[in-house]
Amino acid sequence: MPLTPRSHTRPAPVQSAPAAPPDSDALRRRTGSPQGTASSQSTGSPPRKGFRRRKAVALLASAVSVCLLAASAPAEPLGVGDRLFPYLGNPGYDVASYDLSFTYAGDNSKPLAAVTTIDAWTTTELDRINLDFAHGDVQAVEVDGRPAAFSSAGEDLVVTPDRSLPRGSWMRITVRHTSDPVSADDRDGGWVRTTDGLAMANQADVAHLVFPCNDHPSDKAMFTIRVTAPDGWTAVANGLPTDVDRAGRTTTWTYRTQHPMATELAQVSIGRSTVLRRSGPHGLPVRDVVPTQDRAALEPWLKKTPAQIAWMEDRVGPYPFETYGILMAAADTGFELETQTLSLFEKDLFTEPAYPKWYVESIMVHELSHQWFGDSVSPRTWSDLWLNEGHATWYEALYAEAKEGRTLDARMKAAYGASDRWRAAGGPPAAPKPPKPGQKISIFRPNVYDGAALVLYALRQEIGPKAFETLERAWVQQHRDGTATTADFVRLASAVSGRDLGGFLHDWLYAEKTPAMPGHPDWKAVAPAAVPVK
């Protein structure tokens, strides 16, 4: 996500710093295959007077075709046909914006009252609208201000308006519901309960445990988030604050993004928190959210962020969003997460003395890197996860080399030795194996962390450092605020290098065995252990 797999599982504290950090699942997370994708990326144009330029949403080639559903037919779950999450997302419409309102009563074990409003374009004629939503009670639904019937099917909320919606029409869906912070028995994610409130961790497929949505990164949208909480609590969300209203013994905070965002990157923090503010490069507003009682102890870490942003800008170009900061949660998550403009970290990562300083700082840069790779440029499908995690791991490793002398070559040589084992266990970087039942974050394996960073290392060896740096800058510039695929990356790499890299990158991204490393003929991969036949 990192998570620490960098997006999903942090390794145990290290007593002595290894030459290369632990495996990714002992460490972090994120996407890749060009298969099953179609259509152009989201433009990410900001809405004008309430709605934005219609974007051509990527509907996967294997997506369920949507025809008019007869009103008498039973409701059924749909999906956009993602290879790893077949029922995630929904065809038939393109979300322009979400307006989320949550009311927190002061008890993080009780459901929040919520209202979700979705503005969207229809991309086909619809008699029904499927939304992803699976962990709350729905009280009422309206479509364009008119009451609509609704039912559940699988993890979908199926809405039936009182009249069909023509293709190309603008629609507004309003859902009054609860949002339950207590995890379902068979899955985690969505709300994270902290010692003093709540935070969110929606990656990869659990934003719909928090609010109704089109829960797939191919459909990015603008967000407005309102949170009402009793006196004594502070609420912070993605984007910039636009309003604070106090009424009686409660306060309502409103935040709004200035760039489109995938549902899995939404963040809301509610806690007995302090918001610390400072300036980053070019006057960028930087705000951190910390437990008030830990403010002084955490400040030495927080003040490093502006310089880390400048370090990343020197390598890939301007920071892509309106603000950045760190949310330090008093919770045991086992991961860190690059929620857009406000990355989620476990507080213990910064207070556990067994973690070396260089290691903690490199994880901070890992999550920061995701703001470019994964947040601004989002994966078109979850098979494109390697583009997120491989790049974040790459810059994490470069930072550790620059600041602590942890050489990139040593880390990549160690990754090369393990690469065949990672491919056997989790699939090649751009064709990860599907998640295990009930363990959706199991797609965040070493093959998409250091295994994917190894692909980038091989590419740099092949085309040279100068062309590689040009490619990195062009990638985040050309696809800013949009979505992109592995095929897009291969095409751009070929264009920048001036030669067809399709065959070279295909082997690195999709082969069962790790190809020979350019410039390092002596590097050897350790074969996976044979599985006994029983």
Side-chain angles (χ1 to χ4, degrees), residues 236-318:
V236 184
N238 310 91
L240 293 172
T242 62
D243 204 4
V244 179
D245 293 321
R246 293 179 173 83
R249 297 182 178 179
T250 66
T251 301
T252 299
W253 290 265
T254 303
Y255 290 81
R256 184 168 290 120
T257 66
Q258 295 183 3
H259 298 265
M261 181 170 72
T263 52
E264 50 110 358
L265 301 173
Q267 183 57 269
V268 172
S269 165
I270 307 170
R272 297 187 181 276
S273 308
T274 292
V275 180
L276 304 175
R277 305 184 188 278
R278 67 196 82 227
S279 292
H282 324 295
L284 177 76
V286 176
R287 51 87 175 86
D288 301 303
V289 184
V290 301
T292 298
Q293 63 184 16
D294 300 307
R295 173 179 178 171
L298 296 174
E299 174 60 21
W301 294 105
L302 298 171
K303 68 182 183 181
K304 298 177 183 295
T305 296
Q308 291 172 343
I309 295 172
W311 185 89
M312 279 297 301
E313 288 191 333
D314 286 344
R315 284 150 184 80
V316 296

Side-chain angles (χ1 to χ4, degrees), residues 9 13 20 65 74 98 212 223 236 257 281 329 340 348 354 359 370 389 395 404 428 465 502 505 521 533:
T9 320
S65 62
Y98 292 93
F223 276 72
V236 184
T257 66
Q340 191 163 308
D348 288 355
Y359 174 73
H370 273 306
E389 296 303 344
Y395 289 102
E404 186 65 23
L505 284 172
V533 177

Side-chain angles (χ1 to χ4, degrees), residues 100 102 200 202 211 221-227 235-242 253-269 287 289 319 321-325 327 337-344 371 375:
L100 310 178
F102 299 103
M200 279 188 195
N202 294 334
F211 59 96
M222 307 297 280
F223 276 72
T224 298
I225 301 174
R226 297 178 178 83
V227 182
V236 184
N238 310 91
L240 293 172
T242 62
W253 290 265
T254 303
Y255 290 81
R256 184 168 290 120
T257 66
Q258 295 183 3
H259 298 265
M261 181 170 72
T263 52
E264 50 110 358
L265 301 173
Q267 183 57 269
V268 172
S269 165
R287 51 87 175 86
V289 184
Y319 178 75
F321 297 123
E322 63 271 22
T323 185
Y324 185 64
L327 165 59
L337 183 62
E338 66 274 18
T339 40
Q340 191 163 308
T341 73
L342 186 62
S343 293
L344 173 67
Q371 303 300 310
D375 293 11

Side-chain angles (χ1 to χ4, degrees), residues 10 43 50 53 61 87 101 109 113 120 122 124 132 136 147 151 175 258 337 362 375 383 394 403 406 413 481 501 506:
R10 183 161 59 250
T43 64
R53 185 177 63 192
Y87 290 102
S101 295
S109 66
T122 61
T124 189
D132 298 305
S151 60
V175 184
Q258 295 183 3
L337 183 62
S362 69
D375 293 11
S383 293
W394 176 259
K403 301 299 181 180
R406 300 274 162 182
K413 184 177 182 180
D481 285 344
L501 292 170
H506 181 276

